[in-house]
Every structure is written in structure tokens, then in C-alpha cells.
Amino acid sequence: MAILVLTFLVFAILYRFINIKLTFFIQPVITFLILLYALFLTGIVLKHRIIFGFYHLLFLDSLNAVLIIIIASLSFLVAIYSIGYFKNELKSGLPENKVKEYYFWMNFFIFAMLLLSISNNLGILWVAIEGTTLATTFLISFYRNKEAVEAGWKYIIICSIGIAFAFFGIVLLYFVSSSFLGESLNALNWTDIMKVAPHLNKHILDIAFIFVLVGFGTKVGFAPFHFWLPDAHSEAPTPVSALMSGVLLNCALYAIIRIYAILNMDGQAYFANELLMFFGLFTVFIASIFIIKQNDYKRLLAYSSMEHMGIIAFAFSISTPLAIFAAILGMINHAFTKSLMFFSTGSVLSNYHTKKISDIRGLFKILPFTAVFMIIGVLAITGNPPFSIFISEFLTLLASFKADYALEGILLLSFLVLIFIGFIRHFVGMAAGEPVLEKKKENIYMIFPMFLILIVILTFGIYIPEDFKILVTNIVVIVKGAHGSRLQ
Amino acid sequence: MLNITSFIELMGAFVLFFSILQTASHRVDFSIKVYSIQSLFLSITIFVMGIYSNNAELYLSSFLTFAIKVIAIPYFLNKVTKRISIREKIVPYINMTNSVLITGAITIFAFFITKGDFASREFIARRVFPTALAVILIGVFIMIARKKAIIQIIGFLTLDNGIILAATSITKGLPLVVDIGVFFDVFIGAIMAGVLIYRIRTSFDSLDTSKMSNLKE
């Protein structure tokens, strides 16, 4: 398993010495091999439920198996897309050194995400999350103009405070667990903590969870700690935005869910459930307001990422097997669909260099393929059938009604309708009408990953593989504890 | 007669004292000096804790604190301030007198909320934990109440010192592997924030973060 993590660290450094043209093509190959390896590891997890590596510091169970598949496949898609994106950028005058810088930080970023998702030790998980902050700071301020530098500064300051709070939460957790496990590295190992979880001091655990939720919640983009998110996601180069929205937010949410699982061991984390539900709904609410009145399509997509994280958090907080199924499906679907949106709008940005919605008209005529994928993306992300997000959102609502959260479900539904209206109004305006800008040639490297994503989201919208259902059944046991899941 | 527990508490109190002094600082180079001395006291606290609990990991942790937080980070921050030659005074949102009063209130609050809790196990130095909590909150306060980008970094570093102090007071320190990772992250974070400060300086002609308002809704 160490291979999984180290590959990207090695290549981050190697790329410094390799020609750019070669780098362009090595990156997709490497990420594809890693994706195959991740699938292979998941196959083992399906058989053995849990595997350990490197002195029990790394581990893989069903929950993080899903996450590493998301990370690996998105990295692969982004690697292909980067070829087209940066060829365009090089043509319009970006120096080669900057592209090298991009590949360095990008690989370091993927390395940190993989480390956080497979580390068993909560301390190392924290270090890796802070690592993702550091790796993406320079990617956000990549273009070095006023806005980019401002976004980078906001990002590093707000996320560092947030993460410091999460660290305090982990210290408290260590404080309660070390009285059972002794003061050693084991007392921070998630698998070891789970063994003693029912005996831990509930009161201090609750306090620790507040800190962790606020801390990592800052990275997830929960309102009201979300101020960095639209800035960062809109200023970063498009491939980075796609990876940050689709994957990094999921990773941060994953960290919260791991801690949540400790509280939920006996299926009685009422306090944590309420907090998670509040943050989830409030985030969707804030996002829906800003989506309606937005005039910058990348910021609009950033708010939509917040919305989806809110929905997923809401689903986890309902905490029935059906809701957890919906949440996991939602994580996967959002990752792919949001990347499709960022890829298609990224093509628009790299061709016309404007982020204003009102500046762009008639994309069907000037960038036909991109426009088609963009509209498909809009339909998919707002939860229309036959695309996969429809299934996860529908199941979330169904689960909330079944579990007596009818009022919350209705609230969520009304926010979703608002968001749907906002999306349709903005994006149909961009795609239809008479063009004001000249026609440009579309790049095959940018179209191809969108096509791959379309296949994935259509497949998941129509058919859910049997292996995935087994994975989710295991995840329910992980999140609710063996006892809690049997009750349902 | 000064026994070892109250000596640890005294050192913790010094850490708190220097974070309060931080809020009263008018100049950037003075702030960096205050941070450096605060880190020195943190390092001593960890070292004495190491003697008390006979834990070799704490000696190493204390040494790392000394090397990184007393020497490396202040050296780097001084270099940054020299290169962008900040002569201007620190501009606060909240003036110095009120800042000090607020930090006083924060300290009382920190002692108040930790009164009943955390009594489930024997502590080495019981009063260090609320002190650490106060340092954490004061760090947050500095980040909010000051406009200069570089002072916001120092606020974050103060916050980090508070957390390390809290960790050593309630658990005899975190496992060494985690500790080293945290040091590494904080160090790299400080350097990256420093580099960002150069860029802010070149693109805004100032370090005043209240001038950054291009990205408002």
C-alpha cells in the first residue's frame, strides 16, 4: 500500500528533471496504473474486509476504498485534461517553468490526499490534511494576479485556523483514548480506538467532535466557514478546481465521518447527528442563495460544490443504512459530475478568458461539443434522471422522510428547486442565443475526459454494480458500528 | 519552595504572558521577538515535563520546538520583513488598550469553562490546560483583530503554540511521529505564508489585508 502513496511523491520530484512534453504523457499513464492498483486493492478489501500495511499505520477498508477509487480516477481524468488545458495556456504565453511548478504541486497534492485517505493514524491523517492545504495554496495563487494572491492568502489563513481547531479536537480524542490504550502511537490508531470506543468518556468525545467538525468542516466548506471556498475554487486553474471540488472536499468530509464513527459506535450519537444535520442544511441554504444571484460561472460551481457537501452531510446525519448508501453514492456522483462541469466551463475559460456569465452567449455555435457537455453537466448536477445524482438525491430525500425528518426533507427539496432554477437560468443563457465571440477549435484532450465522465455518470444512473452494494453494506457497519446496523 | 509542578505552571504562565504582550505590540520586529521568547518558554515547559515524566520523546520534542520555533521561523520572518522593509506601524482593527482588556477577559473565560471538566484523570500540571486554552483563543483574536498579513501569521503561530502546550499538559505530548509531522507542517506553512506575503506586497503595494477586497460577493 505504501506504493500507492509514494508513487506520486517520487513523480512530483522527478518531473522537475523531465521535459514538459514527456511529463504531459507520463502523468496519465501513471495515474491510470494507480487507478488499476486501487481497483485491485478494493478487490482484496471485498474479500477480507480490511487490510493493513506499514506497521498498521496504513489501512484500507470499504470506506476509504471508495475514496481512493475516486481520487485515482479523478487524477487520471485531470491528467488527460491538463494536456489540453496547458497546451492552450502555453500558446497564450504561460512560461514553461510555471507548468513544471503545476505538475510538482499537483502530484504533491494527490500524494497528500492518498495519504490522508489510507492512514489509520488520526495524527498522520491530520498532517496529511494540512499537507493538502499547503500543496494547493500555490496552485490557487498560480496566476499571481491580485485576485489569485488574495484567494491564496484567505485560503491558507482560514484553513490553517480551521485545521488547528481540528488538531485540538484530535488532542482531546487522544486524551480520552490514551487512558485505555496507553500513551503511544496506538492510541491514535482509528482501528484501535474503535475497539475501546464504547468505554470512552462521552462528554469529552462530544467536545472533541465539535472541534473536529468545525475544523475539518472549514475544509469541507460548511457554512459559515466557507468564505475561502468560492474564491479558491474560482481562482485556481481549472484542473485544480476540478480536483479540489470533486475530491478534496470529499476527503475532508471523510475525516469527519471517521471521527463521527467513533461517536456512533453504539449508534447513539444524537448530539453529533444534530450538529451534522444543522451544518448540512445550513450549507445548502447559503449555497442556494448565492447560486441564484451569481455572475461568475466558476464561483457558481464552487457554491454548487458546497451544496452537494451539505446534502451528503445531511444524508450521513440521518444515519440509516439507506441514507448512508445515498451519501456514499452522492460522494462518487458529485466527484464525477462536478469535474464534468469544471472541465466544460474550463474550456470556455481557456478559450475566451472571461469568467462572467453575462459575457458569454451562444456556446452551441462557437464551442459545440463543450456546450453539449456543459448542458448535460447542468442537467446531471441539478439531479435530473437518468443521471446518477438523481438517484443519490432521491434516496437522500426518501431516507429523510422514512426516518421522520419530513420537515428537514421538505426544506432540502425546496433549496434544491431554487438551485435548479438558478442553474438553468445561468447556463442556458450561456449556451443558447447569438454568439458575440468568435469560433474556436476544440481540443481533443479536453473533450475526451468529459466523454469518459458521461459514460460513468450514465452507468451509475441506470445500474449499480453488485460489488458496490457489498462495499456499502460494509460501510454501514463501519459508520454505525456492528450493533447499530443490526438494529435497523 | 518551588516544586516541579508549580515550576511547569509558571513556565506555562509565561507562555500566556507573552501572548498577551503580543497583542500590545506596536511593531513587527518586536512581535517576532515576542513570539520567539514565547516559544522558548514553551520549549522549557516541554523539557521540564520530560524530566518530570521521564519521557525521552519529550526531550526531542522540546529540542525541535527550540530549533524550529525559537530560531528558524523567527529568522525567516525577520528576513521577510527586511526584504519588504516594513517601516509602518501595526494597524489594528481594535486598539491596543482594548486588545489587552479583551485578552484579559479571554483568559478568565478559558479558566471558567475548564473548571469542572477534565477531572477524570490525574494531571501533571492542572492549571496549564486552561492557560493553553487562553493562548489558543488569544491567537485567534490576534488573527482577527490585526490587519497586517505578517501579524496574522504570528497570530496563527501563537495559536499553534497554545495547542502544543495543551497537548503536553493533558497527555504528556503526542506520539513522536505525529509531533514531527506537525512541526514540519507548521514550518512549511510559515514559509509558504511568507512567500505569499511577497506576492501580496508586489500586487497590492501594501500588507494591509483590509485592502484585499476584489473577491467580495
Side-chain angles (χ1 to χ4, degrees):
Chain A
M1 264 196 294
I3 305 172
L4 197 68
V5 177
L6 285 179
T7 317
F8 288 100
L9 193 58
V10 169
F11 273 89
I13 295 157
L14 261 185
Y15 283 143
R16 291 259 145 182
F17 308 105
I18 297 178
N19 180 301
I20 297 244
K21 293 221 167 74
L22 211 58
T23 310
F24 276 153
F25 293 99
I26 294 178
Q27 181 77 0
V29 175
I30 297 298
T31 44
F32 187 64
L33 290 178
I34 290 292
L35 173 59
L36 290 183
Y37 187 56
L39 287 170
F40 166 72
L41 285 177
T42 311
I44 301 179
V45 169
L46 273 173
K47 250 186 249 150
H48 299 284
R49 280 192 160 217
I50 188 162
I51 45 176
F52 289 100
F54 204 75
Y55 307 104
H56 281 228
L57 284 181
L58 304 180
F59 82 131
L60 198 65
D61 61 11
S62 307
L63 183 55
N64 48 12
V66 171
L67 200 65
I68 61 166
I69 292 177
I70 297 178
I71 297 173
S73 41
L74 263 291
S75 308
F76 169 60
L77 294 167
V78 164
I80 304 176
Y81 187 81
S82 300
I83 303 174
Y85 185 83
F86 280 101
K87 278 193 171 165
N88 263 0
E89 292 283 288
L90 284 172
K91 253 187 247 161
S92 46
L94 191 78
E96 272 195 19
N97 260 350
K98 291 291 284 180
V99 184
K100 281 200 172 176
E101 191 188 313
Y102 162 79
Y103 273 102
F104 173 76
W105 287 116
M106 186 52 127
N107 277 288
F108 188 69
F109 177 36
I110 299 171
F111 154 74
M113 285 196 294
L114 281 173
L115 180 63
L116 97 82
S117 56
I118 63 173
S119 87
N120 186 7
N121 192 290
L122 295 174
I124 294 172
L125 183 145
W126 184 88
V127 171
I129 288 204
E130 176 69 11
T132 61
T133 312
L134 299 179
T136 42
T137 302
F138 281 168
L139 288 173
I140 290 167
S141 60
F142 188 75
Y143 290 115
R144 296 206 188 175
N145 48 23
K146 268 190 178 183
E147 290 81 11
V149 172
E150 185 183 333
W153 180 256
K154 260 190 194 169
Y155 178 64
I156 196 169
I157 289 296
I158 297 180
C159 285
S160 295
I161 302 184
I163 281 180
F165 276 123
F167 186 61
F168 191 66
I170 288 175
V171 167
L172 288 178
L173 195 63
Y174 180 63
F175 170 64
V176 280
S177 72
S178 61
S179 52
F180 289 95
L181 298 164
E183 300 213 342
S184 64
L185 206 52
N186 287 345
L188 273 175
N189 276 1
W190 185 81
T191 43
D192 290 318
I193 295 177
M194 282 307 267
K195 280 179 207 150
V196 295
H199 311 295
L200 300 178
N201 181 331
K202 288 277 172 328
H203 184 57
I204 298 183
L205 269 188
D206 279 346
I207 298 175
F209 185 73
I210 297 175
F211 277 102
V212 168
L213 183 67
V214 169
F216 291 148
T218 311
K219 282 220 82 159
V220 181
F222 284 150
F225 322 113
H226 66 279
F227 296 105
W228 63 273
L229 193 144
D231 300 345
H233 288 203
S234 69
E235 291 308 321
T238 302
V240 182
S241 316
L243 218 49
M244 282 179 76
S245 266
V247 191
L248 183 56
L249 300 185
N250 277 341
C251 287
L253 189 62
Y254 158 83
I256 294 176
I257 296 306
R258 278 281 177 213
I259 312 283
Y260 170 70
I262 297 172
L263 272 83
N264 207 9
M265 189 60 191
D266 45 10
Q268 298 192 325
Y270 301 120
F271 175 66
N273 276 337
E274 273 171 25
L275 272 180
L276 209 53
M277 182 170 286
F278 167 76
F279 276 116
L281 276 178
F282 187 59
T283 307
V284 180
F285 168 64
I286 294 289
S288 68
I289 291 173
F290 282 103
I291 281 176
I292 293 270
K293 56 170 234 178
Q294 199 50 246
N295 190 28
D296 176 328
Y297 52 80
K298 277 188 96 176
R299 290 180 81 86
L300 192 151
L301 293 181
Y303 280 114
S304 150
S305 299
M306 273 172 62
E307 168 221 338
H308 281 275
M309 285 303 126
I311 297 172
I312 295 165
F314 178 73
F316 271 118
S317 74
I318 297 168
S319 177
T320 58
L322 181 67
I324 291 170
F325 184 86
I328 297 297
L329 201 58
M331 276 171 134
I332 299 173
N333 295 339
H334 170 250
F336 282 98
T337 317
K338 188 47 63 58
S339 306
L340 175 63
M341 287 302 296
F342 268 116
F343 286 169
S344 58
T345 52
S347 303
V348 179
L349 179 63
S350 93
N351 279 318
Y352 300 113
H353 299 282
T354 171
K355 282 186 244 172
K356 282 232 170 72
I357 291 173
S358 48
D359 283 356
I360 292 168
R361 286 279 167 274
L363 278 181
F364 275 130
K365 288 186 183 134
I366 47 180
L367 291 175
F369 284 107
T370 307
V372 170
F373 280 118
M374 191 177 84
I375 290 301
I376 291 174
V378 168
L379 292 176
I381 203 113
T382 47
N384 288 287
F387 302 105
S388 51
I389 284 190
F390 169 72
I391 310 272
S392 50
E393 285 184 355
F394 178 71
L395 289 180
T396 306
L397 287 171
L398 190 67
S400 77
F401 288 127
K402 268 191 172 172
D404 277 342
Y405 289 114
L407 187 67
E408 287 85 347
I410 291 168
L411 264 179
L412 182 65
L413 191 60
S414 49
F415 297 147
L416 289 181
V417 170
L418 272 182
I419 289 165
F420 177 72
I421 295 169
F423 258 90
I424 293 293
R425 206 184 71 187
H426 292 310
F427 280 98
V428 169
M430 280 169 72
E434 278 307 307
V436 283
L437 300 155
E438 79 275 33
K439 191 174 163 72
K440 293 257 174 114
K441 208 166 149 267
E442 285 169 283
N443 192 321
I444 178 73
Y445 294 115
M446 290 163 106
I447 298 293
F448 183 60
M450 295 188 223
F451 181 69
L452 288 182
I453 293 175
L454 180 61
I455 296 176
V456 173
I457 59 176
L458 269 179
T459 326
F460 263 86
I462 296 161
Y463 160 77
I464 288 166
E466 205 53 46
D467 284 349
F468 181 75
K469 284 179 193 156
I470 299 170
L471 274 182
V472 174
T473 321
N474 293 341
I475 290 172
V476 172
V477 177
I478 293 167
V479 177
K480 289 189 64 83
H483 180 63
S485 59
R486 230 180 290 125
L487 282 178
Q488 300 294 327
Chain B
M1 180 61 198
L2 193 68
N3 64 14
I4 199 157
T5 321
S6 47
F7 184 71
I8 292 171
E9 283 176 357
L10 180 67
M11 291 299 117
F14 270 120
V15 176
L16 176 61
F17 170 73
F18 280 100
S19 60
I20 294 173
L21 190 61
Q22 190 71 261
T23 57
S25 150
H26 278 279
R27 287 170 47 197
V28 174
D29 54 345
F30 182 68
S31 289
I32 296 171
K33 240 175 245 159
V34 169
Y35 169 68
S36 174
I37 299 170
Q38 184 194 42
S39 306
L40 180 67
F41 279 107
L42 176 65
S43 157
I44 296 171
T45 315
I46 299 172
F47 188 78
V48 179
M49 208 70 118
I51 297 174
Y52 183 82
S53 57
N54 204 6
N55 187 343
E57 286 190 0
L58 283 176
Y59 294 140
L60 195 66
S61 165
S62 153
F63 171 73
L64 280 174
T65 310
F66 187 78
I68 293 178
K69 290 180 177 165
V70 182
I71 297 171
I73 292 181
Y75 171 76
F76 174 74
L77 288 178
N78 270 324
K79 235 175 119 183
V80 172
T81 36
K82 274 209 189 94
R83 223 165 112 185
I84 48 184
S85 61
I86 309 174
R87 294 266 179 274
E88 321 144 57
K89 280 186 172 176
I90 294 170
V91 199
Y93 284 109
I94 300 167
N95 72 31
M96 304 303 172
T97 325
N98 288 344
S99 296
V100 175
L101 285 178
I102 290 172
T103 48
I106 287 175
T107 312
I108 294 168
F109 175 70
F111 273 86
F112 179 73
I113 56 169
T114 47
K115 231 167 72 183
D117 285 326
F118 301 97
S120 59
R121 198 156 43 122
E122 268 306 298
F123 280 105
I124 302 167
R126 194 175 291 275
R127 269 176 297 229
V128 176
F129 184 68
T131 316
L133 198 63
V135 175
I136 293 171
L137 295 174
I138 291 172
V140 176
F141 172 74
I142 293 173
M143 293 182 85
I144 299 166
R146 297 289 177 269
K147 288 181 187 172
K148 277 260 155 41
I150 197 151
I151 301 297
Q152 290 179 349
I153 297 183
I154 289 179
F156 172 67
L157 291 169
T158 307
L159 163 63
D160 175 68
N161 274 355
I163 292 177
I164 300 289
L165 187 63
T168 26
S169 76
I170 58 173
T171 64
K172 296 184 204 150
L174 290 168
L176 192 62
V177 183
V178 179
D179 236 7
I180 290 173
V182 173
F183 275 121
F184 179 75
D185 273 350
V186 168
F187 185 50
I188 302 289
I191 287 180
M192 292 186 76
V195 173
L196 264 183
I197 282 184
Y198 282 133
R199 294 187 189 165
I200 292 172
R201 177 75 171 183
T202 42
S203 45
F204 287 90
D205 270 334
S206 158
L207 285 179
D208 193 339
T209 49
S210 63
K211 283 187 185 147
M212 292 188 190
S213 53
N214 294 305
L215 290 172
K216 282 216 174 103
E217 289 295 341

